Amino acid sequence: MQDFFYYYVWRYPCLVISQETATGPAAEDLRTNRQQRLTEFETELERNIERFEQELEDAGLKPDYTDYPSSGDEVEETITALADHYLGADHDR
């Protein structure tokens, strides 16, 4: 998981930032190079996302619909409790 985030998730914003902040006499060449690398990287990233998801699934770590509540009751109760707390705290001031 660490390799996936280091080499793919973090690399994407690094390429964008590098492209957008290039300065100096070779800035235009660097921007062009980073744009080309970014275009290639998007395909590479998509392929590795699919590979990573498959690895998670093979290890039994990829969530499916059974991992999420099927009813909105719990969410509704939480929102109501937060609203009551917020509104109650607001009235105490």
Side-chain angles (χ1 to χ4, degrees):
M1 188 179 262
Q2 179 179 349
D3 286 348
F4 175 76
F5 279 93
Y6 180 78
Y7 290 108
Y8 299 103
V9 175
W10 287 110
R11 175 95 24 116
Y12 189 83
C14 290
L15 288 168
V16 171
I17 291 168
S18 177
Q19 174 188 329
E20 293 179 1
T21 60
T23 60
E28 193 56 42
D29 290 338
L30 182 59
R31 275 197 237 18
T32 301
N33 177 282
R34 289 298 178 251
Q35 181 57 46
Q36 181 180 359
R37 177 65 181 117
L38 193 56
T39 301
E40 296 166 358
F41 186 74
E42 288 171 349
T43 303
E44 186 179 334
L45 176 62
E46 190 62 39
R47 187 175 61 250
N48 279 284
I49 287 172
E50 291 171 8
R51 181 189 56 79
F52 184 64
E53 286 179 342
Q54 186 60 52
E55 287 179 20
L56 289 174
E57 190 172 326
D58 292 346
L61 298 173
K62 186 175 178 185
D64 64 16
Y65 74 93
T66 61
D67 294 314
Y68 301 99
S70 60
S71 165
D73 293 341
E74 184 179 323
V75 173
E76 184 178 330
E77 288 174 19
T78 302
I79 291 171
T80 301
L82 288 170
D84 289 345
H85 177 76
Y86 175 76
L87 294 174
D90 193 46
H91 290 297
D92 293 338
R93 290 183 191 177

